[in-house]
Amino acid sequence: MLISIIIPVYNAEKYLERCIESAIHQIYKQIEIILVNDGSTDSSEQICNKYAGIDQRVKVITQENSGPSAARNNGMKNAIGQFLFFIDADDYIEHDAISLLAQCYRRTKADMIIGDFNKILNNQRSGSGDDGVFTKNKRLTKQDIIEYNRKYLKRPNKYQLLTFAWARLYRAAIIRDNNIYFNTDLFTFEDVAFNIDYMSFGNGVFYLRKAIYNHLIYDDDMSVAMTIRKNPSRLLGYKTALVNISNFFNKYGATAEIKAEIGHAYITLTISQLVRVCGQIDDYRRVHAFTNEVIDDPLLKKNFQFYSPVKGNSRIIPILMRLKLVWLTILVCKYKAHKRYKYKQ
């Protein structure tokens, strides 16, 4: 079976060759590699073209800068494989990654095959993506998926099975037949929205508890910081993702308890994203305007009743938001950001 590896590329010259090399040298040879150059202004396009000239399995698509979601969508539209696999251009995969995932599909016929991943910080492995839910290889039933999604709602900052589009195989037919694409209006949580839509149609998930993907973690993620500073509202993609999750549960019978969990997740994610904004933007007027906008959100007011903080969740920030104490909310969020992310103000 042919597997299409899709790599969105934007100004990734520092890491791109390692990423492409890891794809080219897979022991599983029935692949095509689609490099979508998203309007890069560095040497990324030249690097892409170099590899297209070396290996006939490599295809290059160039588009105006439109963001990673649009780049992935363009790659999917041009893919001819029965399965799709995404890699971010600054990450890389193990040499047997595609082979292991393909073996899992042949054995289980699950429509999504998810591999574990390594976290790489300063060129050193700093941990695994394993969130402790599944301790061994596991075929997830629809009920398992429902229960995991509920765990995500209760602690969306902890459970990561939904969080990423990379390190997994998708069946291309399911995506095409059901018109499932990445939402190009989202700059955060687009992977969550995509995955939950896919799971609504797929026939089961298999989790491979082996790290097949290497994900780079940065001390100071400048691309994310710049995105936030230009438009902090881009961090609010969770609102759309939670709508998709709500639709997923409605399909299988959403209970009052599940609806409350969605409301809890809304508050939890609002707080975490507000903390990020307060930690990365020094312009107090912009932070104040954004915080005020968030606090005035009608859905926020509606969902306060469902917030049930667990370990690591803030108890004071929701109170301050409810009382519309904007400056106190900002100060506490800045303190949380400094403590959690160690941002240098």
Side-chain angles (χ1 to χ4, degrees), residues 3-16:
I3 295 174
S4 299
I5 299 175
I6 299 170
I7 307 175
V9 178
Y10 177 70
N11 289 354
E13 61 182 8
K14 185 177 178 181
Y15 307 100
L16 186 55

Side-chain angles (χ1 to χ4, degrees), residues 253-310:
T255 63
E257 189 177 5
I258 290 173
K259 291 178 181 178
E261 289 165 358
I262 293 172
H264 165 79
Y266 194 97
I267 302 299
T268 302
L269 290 168
T270 298
I271 293 169
S272 67
Q273 300 306 79
L274 189 56
V275 168
R276 291 184 72 186
V277 167
C278 290
Q280 291 194 344
I281 298 180
D282 295 327
D283 184 340
Y284 276 91
R285 286 191 301 177
R286 292 187 66 197
V287 172
H288 185 278
F290 176 77
T291 305
N292 195 58
E293 176 188 343
V294 167
I295 288 176
D296 280 340
D297 175 10
L299 277 177
L300 191 75
K301 299 173 187 177
K302 176 183 176 182
N303 288 318
F304 274 132
Q305 62 182 308
F306 302 121
Y307 184 61
S308 180
V310 296

Side-chain angles (χ1 to χ4, degrees), residues 146 149-150 153 245-254 258:
I146 288 171
N149 288 337
R150 292 186 68 179
L153 291 173
I245 291 175
S246 180
N247 292 337
F248 170 87
F249 280 114
N250 287 337
K251 185 175 180 178
Y252 298 103
I258 290 173

